[in-house]
Amino acid sequence: MAKLSWHEILGLITELQKRGFDVVGPSSEGGVVKLLPLEENTKLETNYVRTLNSPKDFLLPNKERLFRYKSTATVTSYGLKIRFPTVEGPCPITIVPEYSPPRGRIAFFGIHPCMVNSIRYLDKVMLSDPADPYYKARREGLFIAVLECDEGDEYCFCKSVGCEKVPNGYADLSIKKEGDGFVVTPRSPTGSSLLMEEGVEQIEETIPKMKEEYLFDAKDEKSIDLKDPANLLEDCTICSSCTVVCPTCYCSDIQDRFSLMDPSNVERIRTRMSCQRKSYSSIAGGVTFLRTKNERFKWRMKHKFPFSERMYGISGCVGCGNCIAFCPSRIDFRTFLGRRVA
Amino acid sequence: MKLAFYSLTSCEGCLTTLITKLGPDIEGLWNNFDIDYFKLVREPVGGSKFPKADIAFVEGAVVTNLDREHLLEIRKNSRFVVAIGTCASSGNIAYIASRNVKLGKKALSVLEVHEAEPLSSVIAVDFELNGCPVNADEFIDALLRLVNGLEPIQPDFSVCYQCKLAGNACLLDRGQLCLGPIAMGGCDAACTSVGSPCFGCRGPYVDADLKAYFRTLEKKGMKIEDAKPLLQMFMGKKIKEVLKE
Ligand code: SF4
Ligand code: SF4
Ligand code: SF4
Ligand code: SF4
Ligand code: SF4
């Protein structure tokens, strides 16, 4: 354990960068706090409750290139004809994917326990067999410096979903604000080497004070099916913001990108998807399964609670409150799923 | 494959955007396709003014009698007609503007000026690329899909979706009237990302819920009456249809 000044905290970031980490931490930009690469002109923010984006935006970046391939594009008298493996049957042999795994190690510096819990959830999803190679490569050697959270805002409810503490093995450093300085505790060998200390310490984690607490009744799908969200969703414009800002929403879509300049050069990318979007549940023939906002909302709730509980044994919602705080209409699902107890 | 690029009543900003924004791709466009007509760049001298084309891209709204005649000719001579830009897809600003003035017939002897209409009011349109101006990436994507016999994709998400992806704080929370929640995305939230509210220049998005949007505005202490002129500014005929529902 060490008591560090603000200046020394910044020194830790520089040291991490020297060790080859891309350091990402909370910073104020455009009137909102976000996780940003901490560079010379990006100031670390330690007085904040929530960030608009989350670790997923770095571990599972939007528009990530998966590979390139050469298509069998030909220019005929009919013009240009690109042959897609999907359109032309099995993959023609001329299609050779060029795959290069992402490089560079990520260090999250100053994220709160709810966000650390979101990394655990993403690990469960992306690393379970078969592991996603892109996620795995980014995840390897991940460094986490947790900034303990004293008090949440009116949208926070991590305690109601058991995510107020850092899961085992998910912290290298714990940082606690104290007066003008910070108490920093090493929680992994990498953490202690950074502090130039010996050994790893167990600490009594700060449990964030909650403005509100809830008891949810969402263990199985039926309990959600039986409820009618029509009143709750009267103001919901189905804008899908909730899934963009949710740290555990990982849905993606696959797209091929090509340029007119060199049509034989195709880039396959992974982009974001959302169950609130029509295409999420649309199939060939124009049928959409989740048609109304009520259905889409229920699906979101089912995935966050019963589905995740059943597949991974943990809550898919870490209680960060982002989907409420950043919803343009402030749709708050908490009293829909349960009741307020404190 | 033969392409043609036409222009009806408009600022010609969409075709200009294609020329300026395609960058090196403009060469690919020129090399890979037969382009007999490209307003501002190549227009046939003599012969038919509307050559046969596999895909015709048309910008602009139908305002004059000549627009109407030309559009019917274009439809006859083209296998696939794509409306490019908001004038062509919704009538844009001209739609509401031309309904708020008394259109005098005296201006030019051969030219009759009518209330502005999108292409779809006059002919069957096969696909619409929205935006004021049109987005060059979406244009390439639509073109290459068509070449391969696939239907181009219309964005099925709102501007808010991309606004949040861009990491912007919400303007509604600062009391600025933003149409993002009901506006069709695809522009990467170009306006809100520089701090200016969305005016919905691509029209309403597929799941737009106007009632919920109005309730949201009221919740934030804004007036529905203030939103209506904004809604009518770019969304033209499309918002008229949504408002009716
Ligand atoms: S709950 Fe809110 S953020 Fe989610 S789709 Fe509805 S209005 Fe958008
Ligand atoms: S569902 Fe909402 S509260 Fe739960 S993790 Fe996602 S954004 Fe946070
Ligand atoms: S299904 Fe919906 S709620 Fe679940 S991860 Fe995907 S976008 Fe998020
Ligand atoms: S600023 Fe506009 S587009 Fe962005 S989230 Fe708010 S309402 Fe949506
Ligand atoms: S933010 Fe709105 S007004 Fe601006 S380009 Fe996008 S759709 Fe058009």
Side-chain angles (χ1 to χ4, degrees):
Chain A
M1 194 175 81
K3 221 176 153 197
L4 301 188
S5 66
W6 172 251
H7 198 71
E8 288 164 320
I9 286 283
L10 298 184
L12 290 182
I13 295 174
T14 317
E15 179 58 25
L16 281 166
Q17 284 161 339
K18 271 195 209 140
R19 294 189 187 185
F21 283 100
D22 295 328
V23 186
V24 172
S27 184
S28 290
E29 189 192 77
V32 65
V33 181
K34 311 179 219 184
L35 296 181
L36 292 171
L38 295 177
E39 287 147 4
E40 228 164 290
N41 296 319
T42 321
K43 198 176 158 282
L44 177 74
E45 175 66 71
T46 52
N47 290 314
Y48 76 96
V49 173
R50 60 183 65 260
T51 50
L52 189 137
N53 59 354
S54 62
K56 82 164 179 196
D57 292 297
F58 297 87
L59 295 169
L60 271 175
N62 186 20
K63 297 188 184 163
E64 173 171 33
R65 188 212 293 160
L66 301 179
F67 55 82
R68 284 176 192 281
Y69 68 84
K70 289 270 176 218
S71 82
T72 52
T74 44
V75 181
T76 67
S77 55
Y78 303 107
L80 186 72
K81 183 92 186 161
I82 294 175
R83 290 161 178 273
F84 295 99
T86 45
V87 178
E88 303 287 342
C91 202
I93 14 184
T94 41
I95 291 182
V96 189
E98 283 169 36
Y99 163 67
S100 45
R103 271 193 234 114
R105 283 186 301 162
I106 302 174
F108 289 118
F109 198 95
I111 58 173
H112 284 321
C114 53
M115 289 299 150
V116 181
N117 275 282
S118 80
I119 300 175
R120 176 170 77 142
Y121 180 78
L122 292 178
D123 281 353
K124 293 261 186 203
V125 176
M126 305 310 290
L127 298 179
S128 56
D129 196 36
D132 181 277
Y134 305 91
Y135 182 87
K136 193 161 169 251
R138 287 216 159 72
R139 175 68 179 81
E140 235 145 48
L142 182 72
F143 180 95
I144 301 174
V146 187
L147 177 66
E148 296 205 342
C149 181
D150 306 314
E151 191 176 0
D153 63 16
E154 66 266 47
Y155 306 117
C156 294
F157 59 100
C158 57
K159 249 173 118 175
S160 309
V161 287
C163 290
E164 71 278 22
K165 281 189 174 181
V166 173
N168 263 338
Y170 275 84
D172 296 287
L173 288 180
S174 270
I175 305 173
K176 188 178 164 55
K177 280 182 274 181
E178 211 177 77
D180 310 336
F182 300 85
V183 175
V184 185
T185 316
R187 298 182 70 183
S188 78
T190 322
S192 16
S193 85
L194 199 70
L195 283 180
M196 291 188 290
E197 287 186 11
E198 298 275 316
V200 173
E201 290 174 49
Q202 289 305 318
I203 56 158
E204 189 73 36
E205 273 182 44
T206 311
I207 304 296
K209 251 191 270 151
M210 293 283 103
K211 288 209 164 47
E212 300 179 3
E213 281 181 55
Y214 293 83
L215 197 66
F216 295 126
D217 163 33
K219 282 271 179 244
D220 58 67
E221 290 154 64
K222 250 219 199 100
S223 59
I224 293 174
D225 269 328
L226 288 174
K227 291 179 180 143
D228 181 7
N231 277 339
L232 170 72
L233 299 181
E234 261 183 319
D235 305 356
C236 166
T237 58
I238 344 179
C239 71
S240 314
S241 293
C242 44
T243 61
V244 177
V245 296
C246 174
T248 61
C249 274
Y250 55 81
C251 282
S252 61
D253 192 14
I254 300 288
Q255 283 176 13
D256 278 351
R257 289 275 174 99
F258 23 74
S259 81
L260 268 173
M261 201 52 183
D262 180 7
S264 67
N265 207 347
V266 189
E267 220 175 59
R268 180 155 293 186
I269 60 164
R270 172 155 65 186
T271 64
R272 289 264 189 278
M273 188 26 94
S274 163
C275 58
Q276 305 304 298
R277 285 171 56 181
K278 189 175 177 213
S279 55
Y280 173 90
S281 62
S282 296
I283 55 161
V287 176
T288 304
F289 294 110
L290 303 172
R291 278 167 305 140
T292 64
K293 59 181 168 187
N294 293 8
E295 289 168 328
R296 293 184 199 172
F297 169 79
K298 279 189 174 185
W299 181 264
R300 177 160 78 93
M301 290 299 110
K302 283 181 191 172
H303 188 203
K304 290 297 164 210
F305 294 92
F307 294 171
S308 294
E309 203 65 66
R310 197 165 67 220
M311 289 179 73
Y312 307 111
I314 56 173
S315 168
C317 169
V318 298
C320 70
N322 264 9
C323 60
I324 310 167
F326 295 118
C327 162
S329 313
R330 291 288 183 287
I331 306 295
D332 186 342
F333 70 78
R334 293 175 294 183
T335 46
F336 171 80
L337 274 194
R339 58 193 168 88
R340 194 170 161 186
V341 290
Chain B
M1 183 174 275
K2 282 188 185 300
L3 306 183
F5 295 80
Y6 300 105
S7 190
L8 305 181
T9 299
S10 62
C11 69
E12 291 175 356
C14 285
L15 291 187
T16 309
T17 299
L18 287 187
I19 295 168
T20 55
K21 287 277 170 68
L22 280 176
D25 280 328
I26 194 95
E27 210 183 310
L29 189 69
W30 224 253
N31 291 342
N32 291 319
F33 297 94
D34 298 329
I35 300 174
D36 289 338
Y37 195 115
F38 197 125
K39 176 80 184 183
L40 303 172
V41 179
R42 174 186 284 168
E43 296 179 37
V45 184
S48 167
K49 267 195 116 63
F50 305 98
K52 291 252 179 260
D54 295 293
I55 311 172
F57 294 91
V58 186
E59 76 170 352
V62 185
V63 177
T64 66
N65 56 330
L66 284 182
D67 284 340
R68 192 174 289 262
E69 283 165 30
H70 293 175
L71 186 58
L72 290 168
E73 276 304 306
I74 291 168
R75 178 72 271 188
K76 251 191 254 160
N77 289 310
S78 323
R79 279 205 299 148
F80 208 89
V81 176
V82 180
I84 55 170
T86 304
C87 292
S89 70
S90 80
N92 208 343
I93 298 175
Y95 186 85
I96 188 73
S98 61
R99 279 161 180 76
N100 285 342
V101 290
K102 257 200 132 55
L103 296 171
K105 292 248 163 75
K106 50 187 184 278
L108 290 163
S109 55
V110 286
L111 212 60
E112 296 167 24
V113 178
H114 300 277
E115 290 178 342
E117 292 287 344
L119 307 191
S120 56
S121 299
V122 180
I123 58 161
V125 175
D126 298 301
F127 194 73
E128 289 174 346
L129 280 168
N130 295 289
C132 184
V134 73
N135 178 315
D137 288 338
E138 274 189 342
F139 163 78
I140 295 184
D141 204 65
L143 174 61
L144 289 177
R145 285 182 72 88
L146 283 172
V147 165
N148 284 281
L150 300 168
E151 201 184 324
I153 305 171
Q154 202 64 264
D156 69 332
F157 44 81
S158 67
V159 169
C160 290
Y161 180 73
Q162 290 193 315
C163 185
K164 284 288 153 280
L165 280 173
N168 302 326
C170 184
L171 295 167
L172 288 176
D173 288 343
R174 300 180 193 169
Q176 277 181 274
L177 220 157
C178 180
L179 297 186
I182 50 154
M184 183 194 284
C187 60
D188 286 325
C191 300
T192 60
S193 295
V194 293
S196 161
C198 171
F199 282 17
C201 80
R202 320 181 120 235
Y205 94 108
V206 60
D207 286 317
D209 187 334
L210 210 56
K211 237 162 110 194
Y213 175 65
F214 285 157
R215 289 179 59 101
T216 297
L217 289 184
E218 283 185 323
K219 204 170 172 178
K220 308 239 175 206
M222 282 177 253
K223 288 198 207 83
I224 295 174
E225 284 318 307
D226 294 342
K228 284 192 175 154
L230 284 185
L231 282 165
Q232 287 172 332
M233 193 186 274
F234 283 101
M235 296 196 185
K237 192 175 180 185
K238 290 205 166 146
I239 201 66
K240 197 174 137 207
E241 284 158 10
V242 178
L243 279 170
K244 239 191 287 163
E245 275 171 22

